[in-house]
Amino acid sequence: MQTYRNTLNGTLVDPVSCYEIFNPANGQSLGMAPESDEQEVDRAVQSAKLAQNSWAKQGDKERRDVINRVAQILEENSDYLAELITREQGKPLSGPGSRFEMQACVGWTQVPASLDLPPEIVYEDDERKDTLHRVPLGVVAAIAPWNWPLMIAIWQIIPAIRMGNAVVLKPSEYTPIATLEMVRLINQVLPAGVLNTVTGDGSIGSKLTHHPEINKIMFTGSESTGRRIIEASAKNLSPITLELGGNDAAIVMPGTNVKNIANDLFWGAFLNMGQTCACIKRLYVHEDDYDAVMAELSAIASQMKIGDGMDESVLVGPLQNKMQFEKVQELVSDAKTSGCDVREFGEVPDQGYFMPLTLVGDIKDGQRLVDEEQFGPALPIIRYRDLEDAVESANGLDAGLGASLWADKPAEASKLATRLEAGTVWINQHGAIHPMVPFGGNKASGYGVEFGIEGLKAVTQSRVVSLKK
Ligand code: NDP
């Protein structure tokens, strides 16, 4: 059985202890993952600290070249890493699955490499000239989740190193293998110590975020862990970027041609079996359009093949882990016992964390499947009569990562868009992130943004040089 290893200071290290990783589609063993201890966390942070100095001193062009070579390595190893993602995380190779995740990794590496944050003259007159420089923060702790393990790790790693920081990454305990392999591969072109990993459960994440030499924390995950990260950051006054998921609402505006939008609505909700931070998690539909929406989504759901994502014809895989599987089952069973109209689609294999694609009608705000983030393939569809009520419902929860409006006349949706309390409001699409466009949450979905120029600024501190003329 293969034992995967952490990378510290450019070297693969033999683990002190290990734990086994299983394929969520069939329960088969995938190998052993290392379990870091406190000493290893400290070694990783010290390696990063040492490497960061010289990495930051390298010229901008050199850093950019190295990152472009990282993109090349990701591209060359896409098939290998995509297979590992499918076996470990569960998303299929095909469709918007693990190959798609690898394409995103490449794109989100190339774009930051192409961007610049040159010094900016913020004020000048006859007597003075003030120039704002963006300098690195130092060592970045990156805490990644299990839903898009490589893509989200790349979102954290690449802007950080582009701006001259060094990184210690902790993947989720559920999905360390593909991430460790990706880090091993890209370390072939990175200077030793610029990117290190530690592995284990949340307690290792906690040791990392509490380490006295951490200068910035980037976190994607649950709100409850996010609150612990904020507490940890108090120790070093580390700035944080927090992406805490959400409970995204989508509103189909009255009279919208449902046929035109059904496919995008479906994938907006069921991408990665719904285990995506910015998926549609509550769908609000005008009462006159409700039957049409149900019919169109049912037709699409009933055509999907559910199974092991290594099969090229499969577009829907298992949930990633038992915790998530049980959580979604519980929410669906609550909806069933409350008398909702629960419609299940797809033939589900006997073993693995598979669930049917589930549409839940006759459900209202205040019920668990609507109010709690399901993070799985069970979509509540809620009728509304008055568009104002739908807007109020969409804004009625604490979460505010994404939201969307669906309309035949986008101009009408645009008028409403800024009233939705979310970091991104999409029109006639959902979750359509882009490496140039800032992405982050409002309200309890976190703070700070990733991507584009704003994302680069978030991994720097400003230093003003003020000259008397
Ligand atoms: P967590 O927030 O616990 O996990 C995210 C990452 O944080 C993991 O690497 C985890 O490690 C790490 N972590 C856990 N505790 C700490 C800590 N005290 N200090 C530092 N790092 C820590 O999410 P879960 O996996 O428990 O999932 C719970 C729910 O969160 C899901 O049901 C879903 O609703 C939501 N979620 C949202 C995501 C998003 O994209 N926004 C992604 C994943 C989950 P480890 O996993 O090893 O414990």
Side-chain angles (χ1 to χ4, degrees):
M1 186 186 303
Q2 186 163 352
T3 298
Y4 294 87
R5 290 183 287 171
N6 275 307
T7 300
L8 265 80
N9 200 25
T11 306
L12 290 168
V13 290
D14 288 328
V16 183
S17 67
C18 290
Y19 65 104
E20 203 165 354
I21 299 292
F22 299 95
N23 185 331
N26 53 29
Q28 282 171 8
S29 176
L30 295 175
M32 302 299 285
E35 208 164 15
S36 301
D37 56 15
E38 194 161 2
Q39 287 72 35
E40 195 160 81
V41 172
D42 186 53
R43 279 171 58 207
V45 175
Q46 298 305 343
S47 304
K49 190 171 155 63
L50 208 67
Q52 192 267 326
N53 263 322
S54 42
W55 176 240
K57 280 188 198 130
Q58 286 207 14
D60 201 59
K61 184 182 173 310
E62 284 75 16
R63 282 209 302 270
R64 190 192 283 259
D65 288 349
V66 168
I67 293 171
N68 277 323
R69 285 165 65 206
V70 167
Q72 221 175 326
I73 291 203
L74 290 170
E75 210 158 14
E76 287 163 9
N77 292 280
S78 277
D79 287 345
Y80 169 65
L81 292 171
E83 282 201 13
L84 275 182
I85 294 172
T86 294
R87 291 185 205 280
E88 183 183 44
Q89 197 278 334
K91 64 171 70 73
L93 287 170
S94 307
S98 57
R99 291 198 189 105
F100 169 81
E101 179 164 358
M102 285 313 302
Q103 280 167 14
C105 287
V106 174
W108 262 272
T109 300
Q110 288 168 332
V111 169
S114 73
L115 296 176
D116 270 328
L117 269 186
E120 188 187 337
I121 298 167
V122 287
Y123 185 74
E124 185 164 20
D125 63 17
D126 293 342
E127 284 151 23
R128 60 186 289 158
K129 182 175 169 185
D130 298 86
T131 308
L132 188 151
H133 298 253
R134 297 274 171 186
V135 301
L137 284 151
V139 178
V140 174
I143 311 281
W146 44 262
N147 54 342
W148 293 88
L150 273 61
M151 181 179 78
I152 292 178
I154 285 288
W155 292 356
Q156 299 172 333
I157 296 164
I158 298 298
I161 64 176
R162 169 74 187 90
M163 297 318 297
N165 302 284
V167 174
V168 180
L169 168 71
K170 192 201 88 68
S172 165
E173 65 183 310
Y174 296 116
T175 52
I177 286 180
T179 311
L180 291 182
E181 282 298 272
M182 175 177 81
V183 170
R184 175 181 69 79
L185 289 162
I186 65 184
N187 254 282
Q188 293 167 10
V189 294
L190 288 172
V194 167
L195 173 59
N196 311 273
T197 51
V198 292
T199 39
D201 63 12
S203 67
I204 289 300
S206 175
K207 289 195 169 72
L208 176 61
T209 53
H210 280 91
H211 193 286
E213 304 283 2
I214 292 298
N215 307 109
K216 160 95 192 179
I217 305 171
M218 302 188 77
F219 172 74
T220 298
S222 64
E223 185 188 328
S224 55
T225 304
R227 290 184 192 278
R228 280 185 221 117
I229 301 274
I230 294 169
E231 283 165 20
S233 75
K235 189 164 177 185
N236 307 341
L237 294 176
S238 321
I240 325 177
T241 302
L242 277 183
E243 202 270 78
L244 304 182
N247 197 341
D248 290 11
I251 302 175
V252 180
M253 294 185 57
T256 303
N257 184 332
V258 181
K259 271 202 180 339
N260 291 345
I261 60 170
N263 197 54
D264 288 342
L265 271 183
F266 176 85
W267 284 112
F270 290 101
L271 176 69
N272 195 22
M273 292 67 79
Q275 303 167 118
T276 299
C277 41
C279 255
I280 299 173
K281 291 171 183 149
R282 303 175 280 152
L283 178 59
Y284 291 90
V285 177
H286 190 267
E287 55 186 8
D288 293 345
D289 305 320
Y290 177 87
D291 289 341
V293 169
M294 262 293 183
E296 290 295 333
L297 291 181
S298 302
I300 297 171
S302 60
Q303 283 164 17
M304 292 292 153
K305 184 169 170 192
I306 301 175
D308 185 334
M310 294 303 289
D311 173 344
E312 295 280 349
S313 64
V314 162
L315 292 182
V316 179
L319 276 89
Q320 203 283 320
N321 57 65
K322 188 162 182 274
M323 175 274 293
Q324 198 57 37
F325 178 73
E326 287 174 351
K327 178 176 159 178
V328 186
Q329 297 274 355
E330 190 187 316
L331 292 174
V332 172
S333 118
D334 180 75
K336 279 182 183 162
T337 51
S338 316
C340 300
D341 173 16
V342 178
R343 305 184 190 188
E344 296 177 331
F345 301 91
E347 243 175 77
V348 169
D350 300 337
Q351 51 171 358
Y353 299 129
F354 289 99
M355 265 191 72
L357 295 163
T358 307
L359 300 173
V360 181
D362 295 341
I363 189 165
K364 292 192 170 66
D365 291 353
Q367 290 186 251
R368 287 189 63 195
L369 184 63
V370 180
D371 284 12
E372 295 176 31
E373 183 190 34
Q374 71 280 54
F375 216 68
L379 177 68
I381 305 176
I382 307 124
R383 288 185 180 88
Y384 71 84
R385 185 168 296 168
D386 185 336
L387 190 54
E388 280 301 318
D389 293 340
V391 172
E392 199 175 309
S393 289
N395 290 340
L397 299 178
D398 265 354
L401 185 62
S404 59
L405 290 162
W406 300 76
D408 289 346
K409 294 183 185 145
E412 279 180 18
S414 300
K415 283 187 215 149
L416 212 57
T418 52
R419 288 181 52 205
L420 292 183
E421 295 165 1
T424 306
V425 181
W426 287 283
I427 297 174
N428 291 337
Q429 53 184 0
H430 198 107
I433 50 172
H434 188 283
M436 284 299 287
V437 181
F439 175 65
N442 286 183
K443 295 163 63 175
S445 290
Y447 47 72
V449 292
E450 298 174 276
F451 314 163
I453 288 288
E454 294 304 316
L456 290 187
K457 286 181 184 168
V459 280
T460 64
Q461 51 195 330
S462 57
R463 185 161 299 158
V464 171
V465 177
S466 186
L467 170 80
K468 183 177 179 190
K469 284 186 173 170

